[in-house]
C-alpha cells in the first residue's frame, strides 16, 4: 500500500473517536471570547440549548440540516440556525 492510499472507513472511524461530545466541549471551552467574532457565553448557552432540544440534532453533535457541529456553529457570532424556514436561535 502506498502512503497516498486513503481509506474512507478508517478516516471516518478516526474522526468518530476524536469528535466526541466531551472532546468538542473541551475544545470550545478553551476558545477565547473575541468581541464581534465569538458568541458571548449567555447567548452561546441559549443557542446550544436550542440545538440540544431540536429534533434535527444527530448523535448529540451534528445538525441534520447543515452537517455542522452545533457546538462550533453556535460559537460563531455571525452564524444562524440552519433549520429550514426559521432561525430557531432568533425566536
Amino acid at each position: 500500500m502506498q502512503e497516498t492510499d486513503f481509506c474512507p472507513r478508517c478516516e471516518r472511524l478516526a474522526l468518530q473517536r476524536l469528535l466526541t461530545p466531551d472532546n468538542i466541549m473541551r475544545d470550545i471551552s478553551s476558545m477565547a471570547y473575541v468581541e464581534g467574532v465569538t458568541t458571548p457565553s449567555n447567548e452561546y448557552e441559549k443557542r446550544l440549548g436550542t440545538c440540544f432540544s431540536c429534533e434535527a440534532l444527530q448523535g448529540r453533535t451534528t445538525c441534520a440540516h447543515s452537517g455542522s457541529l452545533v457546538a462550533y456553529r453556535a460559537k460563531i457570532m455571525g452564524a444562524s440556525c440552519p433549520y429550514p424556514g426559521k432561525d430557531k436561535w432568533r425566536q
Side-chain angles (χ1 to χ4, degrees):
M1 188 181 282
Q2 296 179 356
E3 286 185 41
T4 58
D5 287 344
F6 173 78
C7 174
R9 182 176 183 275
C10 294
E11 289 295 315
R12 187 181 77 248
L13 292 174
L15 281 174
Q16 285 174 339
R17 283 191 294 274
L18 290 173
L19 295 175
T20 65
D22 289 341
N23 285 347
I24 291 168
M25 295 314 287
R26 189 176 315 115
D27 188 37
I28 289 291
S29 67
S30 71
M31 296 172 89
Y33 170 71
V34 179
E35 189 172 343
V37 177
T38 55
T39 308
S41 296
N42 59 339
E43 177 66 19
Y44 176 71
E45 293 300 325
K46 181 181 166 209
R47 287 179 175 193
L48 212 51
T50 301
C51 292
F52 286 152
S53 65
C54 183
E55 67 279 1
L57 184 67
Q58 297 179 326
R60 298 182 332 168
T61 60
T62 308
C63 175
H65 298 293
S66 67
S68 62
L69 296 169
V70 296
Y72 292 105
R73 185 181 193 100
K75 193 71 172 174
I76 301 168
M77 186 67 165
S80 61
C81 168
Y83 196 87
K86 65 180 172 180
D87 183 342
K88 288 187 170 189
W89 292 346
R90 305 236 185 267
Q91 291 183 354

